[in-house]
Amino acid sequence: MTDTKRIVLSSDHAAIALRQQIARHIEAKGWEAVDIGPTSPESTHYPLHGEAAAQKVASGDCRFGIILCGTGQGIMMAANKVKGIRCGVCADEFSARMIRAHNDAQMLSIGERVVGPGLALAIVDAFLETEFEGGRHGTRVDMIKAMED
Ligand code: RB5
């Protein structure tokens, strides 16, 4: 695990404004936002952006990743194809806490067309403020990791 304060952010065209708002929000909280775009509103392909963000987390360059698309679903599916990555879609704060506490997720996905900006920022805070609990949850996360080998 890396102790960097860097958080990678990415999205497809459907979530650029919310992604940039989240970047400003986490910077204000003392994190370093590594926003890898895109910035153009032209239609693009979410797998490209999910994979690019996940690689930055898997390599240790960034501690966490926050990714967005219209639903949060497609970009999450792409990120989870990168070895070592655990990414969950969250539309509520409870789930955002639980994917850290129980699943040791390093990446959070949000659907811009699903949640409003106020809730999205609260979801981000819940995710970033929660530590992994380990113990029996560590055993289960290890079982997920074993599937990758
Ligand atoms: C783009 O229209 C939309 O399909 C995408 O943002 C996302 O919701 C896919 O899962």
Side-chain angles (χ1 to χ4, degrees), residues 85-86 98-105 132-148:
I85 292 301
R86 291 177 300 286
M98 288 301 104
I99 65 169
R100 288 288 309 124
H102 287 192
N103 312 120
D104 199 19
F132 179 49
E133 290 177 8
R136 70 184 186 282
H137 304 297
T139 302
R140 294 162 187 167
V141 170
D142 285 346
M143 292 169 73
I144 295 175
K145 290 178 183 169
M147 291 180 205
E148 296 179 322

Side-chain angles (χ1 to χ4, degrees), residues 120-140:
L121 297 183
I123 288 168
V124 167
D125 288 344
F127 178 80
L128 295 178
E129 289 166 5
T130 305
E131 296 290 335
F132 179 49
E133 290 177 8
R136 70 184 186 282
H137 304 297
T139 302
R140 294 162 187 167

Side-chain angles (χ1 to χ4, degrees), residues 12-15 43-44 46 68-75 77 113:
D12 70 0
H13 55 279
S43 183
T44 182
Y46 59 79
L68 305 95
C69 64
T71 59
Q73 301 290 350
I75 200 162
M77 292 176 196
R113 296 171 181 161

